[in-house]
Amino acid sequence: MQWQSTDVEVNRSDGTKNSETFTPAPAKDQFQEELVIRPLHSGDIYASFQFRTLWDTDFLQEGQKKVSHYRLFPKSLGQVLSKFSVQELHISFTQGFWRTMQWGQPFIPSPPGAELWVWFHHTVSDVDGNWKELTNVLSGIFCASLNFIDMTNTVQPSASFKPLGLGNATDHRFLRYATLPREIVCTENLTPWKKLLPCGSKAGLAVLMKSEKLFHSSFHSQAVHIRPICQASFFSKSWELRQTLNVVFDHYTSGQGKKEWSLFKMFSRTLTEACPLASSSKVYVDITDNPEGELFELSPATPLLSQAVVLGDRRTYSVYDLTRAETFGQLRSFNLLLRWKGDSGDMLRPLLHAERYVAGFGLQTGEIHTVIYNNHPYRAFPVLLMDSVPWYLQLYIHTLTVTSKSRDNKPSYIHYQPAKDRHRPHLLEMLIQLPPHSMTEVTVQFERALLKWTEYTPDPNHGFYVGSSVISALVPSMVAMSTNFTQDQPLFSSFVPVKEESSYFVRVYTEPLLVNLPTPDFSMPYNVICLTCTVVAVGYGSFYNLLTRTFQVDEPSPPLAKRLANFIRRIRGVPLLA
Amino acid sequence: MAAPLTLLLIVAVTIRAVLFRSSLAELISERVEVVSPLNAWKRVVEGLALLDLGVSPYSGDVFHETPLMIYLFHFTVDYAEIVFMVSPYFVDCLSCFLASLDRFRKQKYALESDRYPADCLELLRSPKEMFYIPLKVAMFYLLNPFTILSCVAKSTCGLNNAIIALFIFCTLKGSALLSGILLALATYQSIYPLTLFAPALLFFLQRLYIPVNLRRSSFWCFTLQYAFIYVGSLVVITGLSFFLLGSWDFIPSVYGFIFSVPDLTPNIGLFWYFFAEMFEHFRLFFICVFQINVFFYTIPLSIKLKEHPVFLIFMQIAIISIFKSYPTVGDVALYMAFLPAWSHLYRFLRNIFLVSCVLLACSALFPVLWHLWIYAGSANSNFYYAITLLFNFGQILLVSDYFYAYLRREHHLTHGLYLKKKDGTEATLVLK
């Protein structure tokens, strides 16, 4: 089924004076969906959904009528883009941490919690105001508490987040990045996300997204990426909306210990039809490790094969085209089955990997250690490390040390913006050259601040989260990457633009940190005020006494009887007693 | 006199040198009782590192020193230990000058012994007693554990104390110009020495035999001269700081920080826990109350002690040390150094035993309760706060006790030492 251009023309030809021919822009939009299934060596299975809507229009062009006719592109997002002059928007909600050493690199990486980064158009005058409103609007659209994003956790990275679409990348004043590591993802976030799809969750691959199975997994990440791209066939700018959902099902909990996976076991659904609005709807299964069928058995068999270079590796995929009726067979239902036959060998080690932890003891100081591994046997390459630390952990940049192979490794570029208390977080960006086959350790000391009692969360002893570090690198590739962007490429291999053949772009997120801060006693505000004011008053009282009183000889006052007698004598006019 | 002093100096240097080289130096420089966000050495190094990275040290909230400090340490950061060892000896100059005070006193003694009642002669200090005061002052300051800790931690409090001591030295020497300049420098470092303007002015007026009478033109003439020197130097120093970094960023970072107390790191003062537990609505009100509390004792004390400016200086320094926003033990050590100068008041002190016990106990308990709160996790912040309260209470008691003793001695000097009631029995003096 091909996309159809709906050229709707309404001609108001009559003798009226204001005869404007109302011609809405022809909706040249296109929708593609695909599902990639990659069996992992540990017996787990990685499923990645990608839904792409391409629309040849311009939200940001002035002078033209505002875009009002939405077909495949969701109206809520379109209105957000035009109102806030957004050039690029990337939002992700993740539950769980991606285990690079066990699962390899993900197609689209994301940190635990919520992450939002936005490039605004260069015509925007008040970026901070737009950012604040945008986070609140997105918070409503995705039913997530993104309204907690404010100036205390927003940073402007200078080098780590270049635009992934078209755009001038020089002025990072228009970039805002924020992450909420504490954010939890649940059905409430999945439902509005599914609503943005053209077919909703009624047809196509989206029927598989049932929350009771999706959230019963080791890793779940849903994201929305909007960017302008250049389409070769149209020679114009068009907007691409990608919705991705990455999920890793655990071999023991979801798989019940058996090394056998099927669509029904993973999603408790099978596919019955492709989305009628989609121009292409495919399922890819990674069979690179199974060339002769000795590792696992895949059924139903398919003659279609595809090869793609993804993440520096040439992979082979079996392709199931859901737009063809024969994929569904006689039962009109497509259920993929993967049964393991032999023992899987060792996985290829990912070339770039990072870890982070807090060292030290007590609630006064600590140290953040970030460890980056370069597993390439002979090539060294630079990585850009970006750290955004909240203001209540005061970093001491003079204690920053970078060591590789137990020798000092000075970063060639350091951009450091210190935090302002209660105003903005620390931002540290460094370009570090990683020697081949080595481990690099970045250490920085910090001090923990005592906050005002109202600034603690209701569960202060849980700790405070520090967002993941972001490590961006161009990793040398063993296989030549293709720099041509064609429409026929599978979506998962075309997300990141490839500028050169010899390397591919990788972004690695480290663990978020949980740090305890010293807490005051929350039951004591009135007591503290009283006691401190007492001490101040004691000081005041002593000084007041000494300043206003003078020394006098203490004449004891006569006893009561004598005083009474004197009083009576005074009345009588008789001389007083002594 | 010179030999014991030299011996004292050698002992003090040795103790500090030994501690600098030991592993305790690292531990001491992290202790919150000894360093505060305003004068920690770690923050000075951080500020210099930020300057090297090309970022203004005042762009973050870590560095709160004045630009002249940056200037000083930019060149001497490698010799920091020597700088900090030298500064306490400025306080020594003060003690040496107190020695010359006794010459002044000797003449006064001859005059006054005629004026005072005969039985008060024992109240007056004999030159022999006063001979040892400078040595005692030097000993009290140099061998005070608080000073040693402050010096080993390389806290810039030591430098601030040196400036204040130099200011007192110049004031007592009689040089109004130097005194004004040094007072401006001390005020520039931390705002609170502003209150020392009044005692310095009173001292000069007394020295120049100008009566403190608001209607006399000579009074205003001198006051305006001195104020002009002071304000002028302050403006010059502030201007120099502006030209050092090219921006006024240091004003909110240094003075705004001192006044608005945004950082609630625990210390030995009263502010941190009070403002950690403060309702947001009342925060501004109580900040104003607590800051005014430091300044408003100046006028009443100046009126009461207008004939005794040296004691007034002591009182002001003590009040600043107790009620400032980020006190440390270095500030406490400064006014404690003065105590031997008033050793003749010993017979009138009422609470000295209690006060010394309280201060000793609190000093011992501070590190214990800090450890229990921050490291062991078995106590909470209330324990440390309680000891803070007690320590400040002890200090207030000490200062008011000395004030009482001083006033009582003055009273006895004018009315006689052995007072009798109307019926001839021994009298008791009370404050009424």
Side-chain angles (χ1 to χ4, degrees):
Chain A
M1 189 157 325
Q2 298 298 311
W3 59 267
Q4 291 159 4
S5 69
T6 50
D7 276 340
V8 179
E9 287 202 15
V10 174
N11 280 324
R12 281 196 211 146
S13 53
D14 43 4
T16 55
K17 287 196 179 109
N18 314 341
S19 58
E20 340 169 298
T21 45
F22 179 70
T23 318
K28 295 195 217 130
D29 49 8
Q30 182 190 44
F31 176 65
Q32 292 164 290
E33 55 177 20
E34 76 181 28
L35 165 64
V36 181
I37 294 182
R38 187 162 100 194
L40 301 169
H41 281 255
S42 46
D44 307 328
I45 196 149
Y46 171 33
S48 170
F49 292 84
Q50 288 215 23
F51 302 92
R52 180 171 81 166
T53 309
L54 263 181
W55 194 11
D56 186 22
T57 182
D58 200 349
F59 291 109
L60 301 172
Q61 202 171 352
E62 295 125 30
Q64 211 186 26
K65 272 206 161 62
K66 271 210 168 122
V67 174
S68 55
H69 182 72
Y70 292 86
R71 191 176 147 247
L72 296 175
F73 200 94
K75 183 171 176 182
S76 50
L77 288 181
Q79 287 180 325
V80 162
L81 293 180
S82 44
K83 177 155 193 235
F84 299 111
S85 309
V86 168
Q87 176 90 359
E88 225 177 273
L89 183 133
H90 300 268
I91 184 167
S92 73
F93 299 95
T94 311
Q95 185 184 8
F97 181 66
W98 182 268
R99 299 190 189 124
T100 317
M101 291 307 272
Q102 289 163 292
W103 300 338
Q105 296 280 7
F107 294 128
I108 297 181
S110 51
E115 186 204 36
L116 171 66
W117 59 280
V118 174
W119 274 95
F120 287 94
H121 202 244
H122 57 84
T123 53
V124 173
S125 53
D126 179 18
V127 184
D128 286 326
N130 275 22
W131 170 252
K132 190 169 168 59
E133 283 187 40
L134 177 67
T135 49
N136 280 291
V137 166
L138 288 175
S139 164
I141 293 178
F142 291 104
C143 291
S145 36
L146 297 175
N147 50 322
F148 284 125
I149 294 179
D150 55 12
M151 295 323 289
T152 59
N153 48 20
T154 310
V155 289
Q156 298 179 35
S158 63
S160 299
F161 285 91
K162 298 292 182 201
L164 290 174
L166 297 177
N168 284 335
T170 47
D171 198 349
H172 65 272
R173 279 187 301 129
F174 296 102
L175 169 64
R176 292 289 184 274
Y177 174 85
T179 173
L180 291 173
R182 217 183 159 145
E183 188 67 19
I184 302 171
V185 188
C186 57
T187 315
E188 207 177 66
N189 307 114
L190 182 64
T191 314
W193 187 90
K194 282 196 288 187
K195 265 201 211 167
L196 297 173
L197 296 170
C199 283
S201 51
K202 299 192 175 52
L205 291 171
V207 300
L208 293 178
M209 292 195 245
K210 291 296 162 198
S211 45
E212 64 265 10
K213 280 296 197 175
L214 276 184
F215 290 103
H216 192 67
S217 57
S218 303
F219 178 82
H220 171 98
S221 168
Q222 60 200 51
V224 172
H225 301 277
I226 304 176
R227 58 183 176 166
I229 59 168
C230 190
Q231 284 222 72
S233 43
F234 290 109
F235 298 106
S236 62
K237 201 165 78 157
S238 55
W239 284 85
E240 182 196 70
L241 162 70
R242 271 196 205 230
Q243 287 180 257
T244 64
L245 192 132
N246 292 343
V247 61
V248 175
F249 290 104
D250 186 47
H251 167 232
Y252 292 104
T253 46
S254 307
Q256 284 128 33
K258 279 189 270 187
K259 276 193 164 183
E260 189 184 295
W261 290 105
S262 69
L263 278 184
F264 190 76
K265 195 172 182 189
M266 290 196 279
F267 302 108
S268 67
R269 283 285 187 288
T270 57
L271 289 168
T272 48
E273 57 164 345
C275 174
L277 297 170
S279 62
S280 109
S281 177
K282 296 199 167 93
V283 176
Y284 293 84
V285 181
D286 189 339
I287 55 168
T288 322
D289 303 318
N290 191 32
E292 308 299 325
E294 74 277 2
L295 195 60
F296 57 82
E297 182 196 310
L298 182 62
S299 66
T302 172
L304 296 173
L305 282 178
S306 157
Q307 284 215 333
V309 181
V310 58
L311 296 171
D313 203 9
R314 186 171 295 280
R315 316 283 301 178
T316 316
Y317 295 90
S318 290
V319 184
Y320 297 88
D321 192 349
L322 298 174
T323 49
R324 285 205 237 159
E326 53 266 21
T327 321
F328 295 101
Q330 295 228 321
L331 299 163
R332 302 275 193 282
S333 138
F334 171 65
N335 185 14
L336 202 65
L337 188 63
L338 274 146
R339 196 182 291 116
W340 255 255
K341 280 198 273 194
D343 234 349
S344 51
D346 282 322
M347 190 187 69
L348 202 65
R349 287 224 309 199
L351 290 179
L352 182 63
H353 171 55
E355 287 168 355
R356 196 165 68 144
Y357 57 91
V358 171
F361 61 97
L363 294 175
Q364 189 178 6
T365 53
E367 263 184 24
I368 299 180
H369 290 243
T370 312
V371 183
I372 314 175
Y373 298 91
N374 174 4
N375 294 323
H376 201 288
Y378 53 85
R379 289 283 298 271
F381 54 89
V383 299
L384 197 61
L385 169 66
M386 186 189 95
D387 246 321
S388 163
V389 179
W391 63 267
Y392 39 80
L393 301 183
Q394 290 147 354
L395 289 186
Y396 285 93
I397 206 70
H398 72 272
T399 56
L400 176 72
T401 54
V402 183
T403 44
S404 305
K405 290 181 172 169
S406 11
R407 270 183 303 144
D408 223 9
N409 181 0
K410 207 165 137 34
S412 50
Y413 165 75
I414 299 185
H415 169 71
Y416 177 60
Q417 193 186 49
K420 269 249 176 256
D421 274 3
R422 298 179 181 92
H423 195 66
R424 61 163 196 247
H426 298 276
L427 175 66
L428 176 62
E429 280 183 283
M430 293 190 288
L431 187 67
I432 309 173
Q433 185 81 5
L434 300 181
H437 207 70
S438 68
M439 174 187 101
T440 305
E441 187 158 353
V442 179
T443 323
V444 66
Q445 280 181 17
F446 64 88
E447 259 184 27
R448 304 171 205 228
L450 185 73
L451 306 177
K452 297 183 202 171
W453 71 304
T454 47
E455 290 174 346
Y456 288 89
T457 50
D459 53 348
N461 291 305
H462 178 72
F464 286 77
Y465 283 93
V466 178
S468 311
S469 300
V470 185
I471 295 161
S472 324
L474 277 173
V475 179
S477 166
M478 310 275 202
V479 176
M481 311 280 292
S482 75
T483 49
N484 296 333
F485 173 72
T486 57
Q487 286 266 52
D488 305 327
Q489 265 182 324
L491 294 177
F492 60 89
S493 59
S494 64
F495 181 60
V496 181
V498 178
K499 298 276 167 54
E500 48 184 278
E501 288 187 357
S502 57
S503 57
Y504 60 97
F505 178 74
V506 154
R507 190 170 273 147
V508 176
Y509 290 92
T510 61
E511 296 92 328
L513 301 173
L514 192 58
V515 174
N516 264 9
L517 292 181
T519 57
D521 188 345
F522 297 100
S523 61
M524 291 271 286
Y526 180 68
N527 302 352
V528 167
I529 296 174
C530 283
L531 289 169
T532 311
C533 290
T534 303
V535 172
V536 173
V538 162
Y540 173 79
S542 336
F543 287 128
Y544 176 81
N545 273 344
L546 291 166
L547 286 168
T548 50
R549 296 181 190 209
T550 51
F551 284 99
Q552 287 168 27
V553 175
D554 182 30
E555 297 290 341
S557 55
L560 184 61
K562 221 176 190 181
R563 272 191 280 151
L564 205 55
N566 274 339
F567 177 66
I568 296 170
R569 282 183 173 228
R570 215 181 288 130
I571 296 173
R572 285 171 56 193
V574 159
L576 301 173
L577 293 171
Chain B
M1 213 9 230
L5 201 57
T6 323
L7 181 64
L8 183 63
L9 288 180
I10 292 173
V11 169
V13 171
T14 314
I15 296 177
R16 282 164 172 78
V18 163
L19 282 173
F20 266 132
R21 288 283 163 257
S22 73
S23 62
L24 282 175
E26 187 65 39
L27 198 71
I28 292 172
S29 57
E30 300 247 310
R31 296 241 35 107
V32 287
E33 296 91 8
V34 183
V35 299
S36 74
L38 276 180
N39 51 31
W41 177 245
K42 196 171 177 188
R43 292 178 182 243
V44 173
V45 175
E46 176 70 10
L48 294 174
L50 283 174
L51 205 59
D52 283 338
L53 269 180
V55 177
S56 161
Y58 300 110
S59 58
D61 252 335
V62 147
F63 187 72
H64 301 285
E65 300 277 356
T66 53
L68 288 188
M69 276 290 177
I70 302 180
Y71 211 54
L72 172 69
F73 283 113
H74 199 57
F75 301 109
T76 60
V77 67
D78 295 325
Y79 309 107
E81 294 175 0
I82 299 179
V83 169
F84 283 105
M85 275 221 259
V86 161
S87 57
Y89 302 114
F90 285 126
V91 186
D92 250 7
C93 299
L94 170 63
S95 63
C96 291
F97 196 69
L98 282 177
S100 64
L101 248 190
D102 82 4
R103 262 186 287 123
F104 183 47
R105 284 272 181 187
K106 212 170 169 185
Q107 296 150 351
K108 219 177 148 193
Y109 181 77
L111 288 171
E112 287 173 355
S113 52
D114 300 328
R115 272 191 6 205
Y116 292 132
D119 58 357
C120 286
L121 278 178
E122 66 187 74
L123 279 183
L124 295 175
R125 290 186 289 182
S126 62
K128 201 167 132 221
E129 263 173 33
M130 297 191 30
F131 184 68
Y132 282 107
I133 289 179
L135 184 65
K136 282 192 210 161
V137 169
M139 195 164 69
F140 253 63
Y141 190 71
L142 291 173
L143 297 182
N144 191 349
F146 288 158
T147 328
I148 296 178
L149 285 175
S150 188
C151 177
V152 171
K154 291 197 279 232
S155 153
T156 55
C157 183
L159 293 175
N160 293 348
N161 287 355
I163 296 174
I164 294 177
L166 270 177
F167 150 73
I168 299 175
F169 177 63
C170 295
T171 310
L172 294 179
K173 250 314 207 216
S175 156
L177 178 67
L178 273 179
S179 155
I181 293 173
L182 283 165
L183 183 63
L185 200 58
T187 311
Y188 166 77
Q189 280 291 109
S190 69
I191 296 257
Y192 298 108
L194 176 63
T195 57
L196 295 175
F197 181 80
L201 183 65
L202 285 173
F203 186 84
F204 284 117
L205 289 174
Q206 195 184 59
R207 202 190 153 84
L208 296 171
Y209 301 109
I210 302 173
V212 182
N213 190 342
L214 286 162
R215 274 176 241 133
R216 292 268 198 138
S217 66
S218 53
F219 166 75
W220 285 112
C221 192
F222 185 78
T223 310
L224 285 171
Q225 269 182 11
Y226 191 61
F228 184 71
I229 297 174
Y230 172 62
V231 173
S233 346
L234 198 57
V235 166
V236 166
I237 295 172
T238 316
L240 273 175
S241 318
F242 171 72
F243 287 118
L244 181 70
L245 282 177
S247 73
W248 294 109
D249 276 347
F250 71 97
I251 290 183
S253 247
V254 182
Y255 307 116
F257 183 80
I258 294 177
F259 279 130
S260 63
V261 193
D263 189 322
L264 298 170
T265 317
N267 49 54
I268 60 172
L270 296 165
F271 276 65
W272 63 278
Y273 206 53
F274 190 72
F275 289 105
E277 301 269 13
M278 172 57 55
F279 298 102
E280 213 47 45
H281 187 62
F282 294 107
R283 199 186 146 78
L284 183 62
F285 170 69
F286 278 105
I287 292 256
C288 296
V289 166
F290 271 54
Q291 297 291 359
I292 288 173
N293 190 41
V294 184
F295 291 101
F296 92 127
Y297 288 113
T298 311
I299 308 276
L301 277 174
S302 311
I303 295 172
K304 184 84 176 180
L305 290 171
K306 63 175 175 279
E307 275 113 41
H308 316 285
V310 183
F311 190 74
L312 181 58
I313 292 182
F314 164 71
M315 289 292 294
Q316 288 291 86
I317 292 179
I319 287 171
I320 292 171
S321 302
I322 299 170
F323 292 118
K324 69 192 289 197
S325 43
Y326 292 100
T328 61
V329 293
D331 300 306
V332 176
L334 181 63
Y335 75 82
M336 278 195 174
F338 271 87
L339 296 181
W342 326 115
S343 54
H344 58 286
L345 298 175
Y346 181 73
R347 61 191 297 166
F348 299 117
L349 291 173
R350 296 180 297 173
N351 301 319
I352 197 66
F353 176 67
L354 178 68
V355 165
S356 33
C357 285
V358 164
L359 292 179
L360 273 172
C362 290
S363 312
L365 279 173
F366 269 125
V368 171
L369 290 169
W370 178 257
H371 177 87
L372 281 180
W373 173 25
I374 297 287
Y375 295 101
S378 51
N380 67 8
S381 49
N382 291 334
F383 293 71
Y384 194 77
Y385 166 65
I387 298 299
T388 307
L389 283 181
L390 203 56
F391 188 71
N392 284 301
F393 178 74
Q395 285 186 72
I396 290 172
L397 209 56
L398 174 71
V399 172
S400 63
D401 211 16
Y402 266 90
F403 192 21
Y404 170 88
Y406 196 86
L407 290 178
R408 182 147 170 190
R409 178 176 172 268
E410 291 305 313
H411 183 264
H412 280 305
L413 280 178
T414 42
H415 293 105
L417 187 55
Y418 297 106
L419 297 169
K420 299 211 170 16
K421 285 197 282 200
K422 286 194 201 127
D423 52 6
T425 54
E426 200 180 315
T428 48
L429 267 187
V430 291
L431 278 173
K432 280 230 180 97

